[in-house]
Amino acid sequence: MSVFLLSSATTRFVSSFTSTSRLAVRYQRGAASFFVANDNVAKQTFRAKNQFFMSTVDQLSDEQIKDIEAQIKTKGEEIRQLKADGIDKESLAPHVAELIALKSKIAPPEEPKKKETKKKQPQKQKNKNQQPKKETEMSESELRAARLQKVELMREAGAEPYEYSYKPTHKATELQVLYEGKLEGGEEDEEADVAVAGRIMAKRVFGKLAFFTLQDESGTIQLHLEKNRLGDTFKNIKAWVDSGDIIGVRGTIRRTDKGELSIYAKEWTMLTKSAAPLPDKWHGLTDISKRYRNRHLDLIVNPTVRETFRKRAKITSALRRSLDDMGFLEIETPVLHSQPGGAEAKPFETYHNTMDMDLTLRIATELHLKRLIVGGFERVYEIGRIFRNEGISTRHNPEFTSIELYQAYADYNDMMDLTEQLVVEMCDAVSDTRELPYGDHTVSIERPWRRVTMTDIVKEHMPDFDFESLDPDDPESLVKAKAAAAAAGVPKVDELASVGYVLNACFEELCEPNLIQPTFVIDYPVDVSPLAKPHRSKPGYTERFELFATGRELANSFSELTDPVDQRERFEAQAAKKAAGDEEACGVDEEFLQALEQGMPPTGGLGIGIDRLVMLLTNSPSIRDVIAFPLLKPDA
């Protein structure tokens, strides 16, 4: 049988020529037609087709031929670029077929050659452990197939590629510390009997000698493997183990002639055979979205990422220890709320089928924790996930971790002292210095931190205007405030409904980005603080602070509002905003008001964004760098 490709110019002719014989079959793919015919029909068809082709070419003008040649050149360059970009064969095939079809318009195809019958040679028996290709020559799919083949070879040999357990005696870094300054080059601790387990990150094989790099949770250590020491199992570790596999190794400790501390292996065990290659085989894992999406690979190949999450765990542990030592109780509160509250934020909405209830995911833990204070607990906290259906940025994620704590008989001054203490103790848990690098800055965590009112810090940037001198009840005050803010370059002030909102907008636009060192900004307008107690000496303001560092908010605190009548009025004002279309405004929480009417003692409350604090303490530029699995759009 013969196969040949025809352009659209000759397809009709060949179809007509072979239609009566039933000895040819035509396949169409894009612009190309393929014919399968026995050799006699192929020859007859080809000769007739050539005659037809020559008459067709004679009909083409010089301009048409030049146009076709230009198309051929363009398509050829396109194919070369696609190959350079790594296109697979299946996707490339239609482009090649189109190129062949273009060429066939101006050049007659060669006559199909008769296939030569080759004498079959007896196949040599393949060694099961011998790979047909080197790993560097394999595609990713070929590598996966080869690794899975090794799984079957291991099972045929009676070895388990996915072991059930293993008992390491040491961690890699533990051994590095234990033998620091011990053993000369070439010297062995023959009395040692150590076992480690981890992932193979690199292999170097030299005939009867091999060196592997093993990585466990703590770090890396070299494995020294010799045929004379391992016996028959040496050929197996060379044939079966790939980079990415998890193995266990037992042996003595030896320092190589070059001074590298190594486990001088006596025996090895396959623990988990990896079916996929490590990402550094494919030019590393450098694309930031791929790192977030494949965090397991990110953790394997980037030690600094593992260290970030190790520090995060230490930070939250230190926070819990500090609060527990001070007599605080961690009590969990509901994630599903019938009425969102405790913050101004758009919630995620859901529905409970059995209870036939519309619910939201919590936007804060505040109101339930305050109800615990009403119930008689004097110091409570919760570290938990918060969900807000808002934008995403380097400092915002739809779900994040915060701590909220409440202390009876305390106010916002006590909370400032407590915040300093907690942050310093968390810093000490992961750093040997309180002078922390962050981007291009050095941030000092040493106490005390600066405390400044919102009106004073805004005046530093608007020296000719004093918000504190305004009467918030005078309509002219709002006009003056808007004019001054607009003159200072604050955008969208015309949309703001009160002096308090204008003051807050001026602070966020002019001051917040410049607060690199830890700073408590205190005494917020009542308009933007619906849950804070009125200031004891400043009408129109509240006893509230926010902590800022590196140009972003880290913490928020109030002297908590305990007057149920005042609280209801503020809730109703928020509800009016919500009814007017403000998706971030909260409604009236009757259950909380009922508890507040029972009587809540004077209380100081504090909320700290754990993710942003970890960013500061680990010098991480994005919130996604400190969240193990941040929310991402589906991979295209």
Side-chain angles (χ1 to χ4, degrees):
M1 301 297 288
S2 297
V3 180
F4 49 93
L5 180 145
L6 307 175
S7 71
S8 57
T10 57
T11 298
R12 293 187 304 276
F13 171 80
V14 178
S15 297
S16 174
F17 185 87
T18 60
S19 61
T20 57
S21 67
R22 298 179 180 269
L23 296 177
V25 180
R26 172 188 171 195
Y27 297 90
Q28 182 76 29
R29 180 161 182 171
S33 296
F34 297 83
F35 277 80
V36 180
N38 66 32
D39 290 343
N40 288 333
V41 172
K43 289 178 180 178
Q44 294 176 46
T45 304
F46 185 84
R47 293 190 189 101
K49 173 178 166 285
N50 252 356
Q51 294 174 9
F52 176 85
F53 174 83
M54 294 306 296
S55 64
T56 302
V57 171
D58 289 340
Q59 297 173 11
L60 294 175
S61 66
D62 291 342
E63 186 175 344
Q64 288 175 316
I65 292 174
K66 287 181 180 179
D67 181 63
I68 293 172
E69 288 174 341
Q71 292 179 49
I72 290 171
K73 182 179 178 181
T74 301
K75 178 53 67 174
E77 290 173 350
E78 181 184 348
I79 290 173
R80 283 192 290 275
Q81 184 60 49
L82 290 170
K83 286 181 178 179
D85 293 341
I87 190 171
D88 59 80
K89 291 182 179 179
E90 185 177 353
S91 301
L92 185 64
H95 297 279
V96 174
E98 186 178 346
L99 178 62
I100 293 171
L102 285 169
K103 289 182 176 180
S104 69
K105 292 181 180 180
I106 58 174
E110 296 179 4
E111 184 167 346
K113 295 179 181 179
K114 186 175 181 180
K115 293 183 179 178
E116 294 181 6
T117 305
K118 291 185 179 180
K119 191 173 182 181
K120 290 187 177 179
Q121 298 293 329
Q123 291 186 347
K124 292 182 179 180
Q125 185 68 28
K126 288 185 179 179
N127 186 333
K128 288 186 177 181
N129 290 334
Q130 189 176 16
Q131 295 299 312
K133 287 184 181 180
K134 294 180 180 180
E135 278 200 359
T136 53
E137 300 172 345
M138 293 185 185
S139 66
E140 190 169 0
S141 60
E142 287 174 330
L143 269 175
R144 184 177 184 277
R147 288 176 178 230
L148 293 178
Q149 183 183 32
K150 291 179 184 181
V151 170
E152 297 306 315
L153 293 175
M154 288 185 66
R155 286 179 171 150
E156 289 174 9
E160 176 54 60
Y162 299 101
E163 197 50 80
Y164 290 85
S165 65
Y166 191 78
K167 299 290 189 272
T169 61
H170 295 79
K171 295 286 187 184
T173 300
E174 184 182 356
L175 290 172
Q176 300 282 8
V177 172
L178 190 61
Y179 282 88
E180 179 69 29
K182 298 179 182 179
L183 301 179
E184 297 295 327
E187 187 179 355
E188 176 188 356
D189 181 359
E190 297 180 357
E191 300 300 317
D193 181 21
V194 301
V196 296
R199 192 179 299 275
I200 299 303
M201 301 302 293
K203 293 171 50 182
R204 291 174 293 147
V205 180
F206 311 97
K208 298 179 181 180
L209 176 67
F211 295 98
F212 290 4
T213 300
L214 180 143
Q215 174 180 282
D216 64 13
E217 183 185 20
S218 68
T220 62
I221 193 165
Q222 180 170 269
L223 307 181
H224 182 165
L225 311 164
E226 285 186 4
K227 184 178 188 304
N228 292 339
R229 191 172 175 98
L230 289 172
D232 290 340
T233 63
F234 181 74
K235 71 176 187 301
N236 292 336
I237 197 170
K238 286 204 306 180
W240 292 344
V241 176
D242 298 298
S243 295
D245 292 350
I246 300 172
I247 70 171
V249 175
R250 180 176 291 276
T252 59
I253 295 293
R254 184 177 187 274
R255 197 172 291 279
T256 65
D257 294 338
K258 293 184 177 180
E260 181 76 18
L261 189 71
S262 307
I263 295 178
Y264 195 16
K266 291 181 178 179
E267 61 183 58
W268 74 279
T269 305
M270 177 69 80
L271 302 180
T272 300
K273 180 66 189 171
S274 173
L278 290 175
D280 60 352
K281 171 70 173 69
W282 308 106
H283 314 297
L285 191 66
T286 55
D287 183 273
I288 194 70
S289 64
K290 287 184 179 178
R291 285 182 49 214
Y292 296 148
R293 197 175 302 280
N294 298 286
R295 183 68 87 185
H296 58 289
L297 293 178
D298 193 21
L299 292 167
I300 290 172
V301 302
N302 292 321
T304 56
V305 176
R306 291 199 307 278
E307 185 60 22
T308 293
F309 288 104
R310 185 176 287 111
K311 285 184 176 180
R312 179 183 175 121
K314 290 181 178 179
I315 289 166
T316 54
S317 294
L319 176 59
R320 281 191 166 96
R321 279 196 305 272
S322 297
L323 291 172
D324 292 346
D325 291 345
M326 285 185 258
F328 282 85
L329 298 176
E330 183 172 14
I331 301 179
E332 294 177 330
T333 62
V335 172
L336 294 175
H337 289 186
S338 57
Q339 173 63 55
E344 290 193 13
K346 182 179 179 181
F348 286 95
E349 298 174 350
T350 186
Y351 176 78
H352 195 294
N353 292 334
T354 302
M355 300 181 73
D356 189 23
M357 287 179 64
D358 290 319
L359 298 168
T360 66
L361 300 184
R362 67 185 179 191
I363 58 174
T365 56
E366 178 169 348
L367 300 185
H368 285 93
L369 289 172
K370 285 182 181 178
R371 288 164 67 179
L372 294 171
I373 296 291
V374 173
F377 291 106
E378 294 184 359
R379 297 187 178 201
V380 296
Y381 76 94
E382 181 177 8
I383 299 176
R385 300 294 267 183
I386 303 299
F387 308 89
R388 296 181 180 177
N389 197 355
E390 299 173 340
I392 296 176
S393 72
T394 55
R395 62 182 70 182
H396 295 93
N397 198 65
E399 56 175 320
F400 59 94
T401 303
S402 79
I403 177 173
E404 289 198 38
L405 64 87
Y406 295 87
Q407 179 180 340
Y409 313 114
D411 65 8
Y412 78 144
N413 293 300
D414 299 307
M415 293 297 103
M416 278 186 263
D417 295 336
L418 179 60
T419 303
E420 287 183 347
Q421 179 182 346
L422 291 174
V423 173
V424 166
E425 289 176 356
M426 286 186 274
C427 174
D428 291 345
V430 295
S431 174
D432 56 4
T433 178
R434 295 177 183 174
E435 303 294 320
L436 303 177
Y438 192 82
D440 297 330
H441 304 285
T442 297
V443 179
S444 176
I445 304 298
E446 289 288 358
R447 304 172 68 183
W449 301 340
R450 183 190 183 197
R451 303 182 184 190
V452 59
T453 66
M454 180 178 281
T455 53
D456 285 346
I457 197 170
V458 168
K459 192 170 183 179
E460 292 175 7
H461 294 267
M462 299 172 61
D464 297 329
F465 193 80
D466 185 4
F467 275 90
E468 202 162 333
S469 66
L470 298 177
D471 179 1
D473 296 325
D474 183 358
E476 280 300 311
S477 294
L478 179 58
V479 176
K480 293 176 182 177
K482 287 183 176 181
V490 179
K492 299 180 180 179
V493 291
D494 288 338
E495 303 172 7
L496 303 177
S498 70
V499 172
Y501 280 113
V502 176
L503 172 60
N504 187 65
C506 290
F507 166 74
E508 291 180 347
E509 180 69 21
L510 305 175
C511 310
E512 182 177 341
N514 303 311
L515 295 176
I516 304 303
Q517 302 303 320
T519 303
F520 291 115
V521 178
I522 66 175
D523 301 348
Y524 276 57
V526 68
D527 313 69
V528 295
S529 311
L531 296 166
K533 206 161 196 164
H535 199 283
R536 63 195 77 182
S537 62
K538 295 180 181 178
Y541 294 89
T542 60
E543 294 197 350
R544 174 189 178 187
F545 76 76
E546 287 186 314
L547 169 64
F548 293 88
T550 66
R552 59 179 66 108
E553 176 202 346
L554 298 181
N556 188 18
S557 174
F558 311 145
S559 293
E560 299 296 334
L561 181 59
T562 54
D563 180 348
V565 176
D566 189 355
Q567 183 65 83
R568 178 176 290 278
E569 290 174 353
R570 298 197 200 183
F571 273 166
E572 289 174 349
Q574 286 285 309
K577 289 173 60 181
K578 185 175 182 178
D582 188 340
E583 294 181 323
E584 295 186 350
C586 61
V588 178
D589 191 322
E590 292 292 348
E591 292 182 353
F592 176 69
L593 288 172
Q594 182 182 358
L596 204 59
E597 288 177 352
Q598 206 68 49
M600 185 171 81
T603 300
L606 170 65
I608 300 175
I610 299 296
D611 308 294
R612 290 185 182 179
L613 183 60
V614 173
M615 288 170 63
L616 170 61
L617 298 181
T618 60
N619 193 13
S620 299
S622 171
I623 194 170
R624 293 184 176 186
D625 293 329
V626 299
I627 296 176
F629 300 100
L631 185 65
L632 301 168
K633 286 184 177 181
D635 199 4

